[in-house]
């Protein structure tokens, strides 16, 4: 029997975390086999102040970027299902914590993906406006520059991602908040909902009348306000939920 929230035909917001990409071969961070669970020191690579202060840490970070499994990853069934939801004409926007761009590669419209943590495909300088591609910078690393400096000002280069301790982009966060505020259905998929301000999007959505659906293997801090909690594996849960939403709005 179709639950009532599936019949709502208004805007849909989707918050996605690392868990949606594990079926694509990209490990999550906090899960039992997560990157930071297995190697707590790896979390330092994502801490802004440490990155700026420690050249050795930056060298390790460039090697980690070079070896990131996301380069070989392909969209999985969950990414494809969300793309199908958009292609079916539903007003759906994705707020993603992920930097892998698998949503766009699955066919989801780029202008409806809000990348609150940035992406791994671009590089920026922390001192000036210099920007380039990750591929070009990794070519410099391969050529022997273990910690390549900015070619314009000599400053520190980093991936175009938001690190711990780094200020979020205000325009991006405003777009994410407006997406949550105006949604009727808010799907939180594969996120521990422990990292703010992303996790607070759940509360914003519920406070403004949305139904919150959480798809995650482990309990989250927002389970108590959810309309429905799904513990089913993401690769089967998301295609099923998308099919039910499309059936409910038919």
């Amino acid at each position: 029997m179709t639950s009532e929230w599936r019949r709502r035909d208004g805007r849909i917001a989707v918050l996605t975390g690392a868990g949606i990409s594990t079926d694509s071969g990209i490990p999550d961070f906090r899960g039992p086999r997560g990157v930071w669970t297995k190697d707590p020191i790896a979390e330092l690579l994502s801490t802004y102040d440490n990155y700026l202060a420690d050249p050795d840490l930056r060298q390790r970070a460039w090697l980690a970027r070079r070896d990131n499994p996301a380069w070989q990853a392909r969209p999985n069934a969950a990414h494809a299902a969300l793309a199908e939801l958009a292609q079916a004409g539903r007003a759906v926007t994705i707020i993603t914590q992920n930097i892998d761009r698998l949503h766009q590669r699955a066919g989801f419209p780029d202008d409806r993906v809000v990348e609150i943590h940035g992406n791994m495909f671009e590089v920026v300088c922390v001192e000036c406006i210099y920007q380039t591609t990750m591929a070009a910078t990794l070519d410099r690393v391969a050529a022997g520059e273990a910690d390549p400096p900015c070619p314009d000002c000599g400053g520190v280069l980093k991936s175009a991602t938001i690190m711990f301790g780094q200020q979020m982009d205000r325009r991006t966060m405003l777009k994410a908040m407006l997406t949550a505020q105006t949604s009727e259905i808010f799907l939180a998929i594969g996120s521990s909902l422990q990292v703010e301000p992303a996790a607070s999007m759940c509360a914003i959505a519920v406070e403004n009348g949305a139904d919150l659906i959480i798809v995650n293997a482990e309990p989250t801090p927002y389970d108590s306000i959810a309309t429905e909690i799904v513990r089913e594996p993401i690769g089967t849960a998301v295609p099923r939920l998308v099919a039910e939403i499309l059936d409910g709005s038919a």
Side-chain angles (χ1 to χ4, degrees):
M1 183 176 180
T2 303
S3 299
E4 285 302 312
W5 70 263
R6 291 168 171 80
R7 300 182 186 276
R8 303 188 73 171
D9 58 3
R11 295 179 181 274
I12 301 172
V14 185
L15 173 67
T16 61
I20 198 172
S21 294
T22 56
D23 282 353
S24 294
I26 303 175
D28 62 14
F29 299 103
R30 293 181 174 82
R33 294 186 295 275
V35 174
W36 296 339
T37 304
K38 294 169 65 176
D39 181 13
I41 295 177
E43 189 169 354
L44 294 176
L45 302 181
S46 298
T47 304
Y48 190 59
D49 288 343
N50 292 332
Y51 182 85
L52 294 183
D54 190 342
D56 291 336
L57 195 64
R58 292 199 296 273
Q59 292 180 26
R60 181 174 173 178
W62 286 113
L63 295 179
R65 291 164 183 149
R66 179 197 66 187
D67 299 334
N68 194 315
W71 294 114
Q72 286 76 43
R74 296 291 180 269
N76 60 53
H79 296 109
L82 293 175
E84 179 186 357
L85 188 60
Q87 292 160 5
R90 290 302 301 264
V92 54
T93 300
I94 290 176
I95 305 165
T96 187
Q97 297 173 277
N98 299 337
I99 61 172
D100 52 37
R101 290 199 162 169
L102 288 178
H103 289 300
Q104 293 95 320
R105 291 156 67 185
F108 200 95
D110 183 61
D111 62 352
R112 286 197 269 161
V113 180
V114 184
E115 296 175 321
I116 58 175
H117 291 166
N119 72 85
M120 60 176 282
F121 295 89
E122 298 170 358
V123 167
V124 296
C125 176
V126 303
E127 300 289 344
C128 73
I129 62 172
Y130 176 79
Q131 296 184 20
T132 189
T133 65
M134 179 61 72
T137 309
L138 289 179
D139 284 344
R140 292 176 60 187
V141 174
E145 295 184 72
D147 179 23
C150 174
D152 288 354
C153 75
V156 172
L157 295 181
K158 63 180 290 292
S159 61
T161 56
I162 303 298
M163 293 180 163
F164 287 117
Q166 186 178 3
Q167 186 175 7
M168 306 287 284
D169 181 78
R170 291 184 179 181
R171 289 187 178 182
T172 301
M173 290 309 302
L174 177 60
K175 185 175 182 180
M177 290 178 65
L178 289 174
T179 297
Q181 288 174 350
T182 58
S183 65
E184 286 194 357
I185 299 171
F186 191 97
L187 300 174
I189 302 171
S191 174
S192 65
L193 301 181
Q194 295 180 28
V195 177
E196 300 293 356
S200 63
M201 300 296 165
C202 295
I204 291 172
V206 171
E207 288 167 1
N208 286 273
D211 283 300
L212 170 63
I213 317 304
I214 296 177
V215 184
N216 201 60
E218 303 294 332
T220 81
Y222 291 88
D223 287 2
S224 63
I225 64 171
T227 301
E228 185 171 329
I229 299 170
V230 180
R231 301 293 187 214
E232 179 186 347
I234 291 171
T236 56
V238 175
R240 175 180 62 78
L241 290 172
V242 167
E244 292 171 358
I245 290 170
L246 293 177
D247 286 345
S249 60

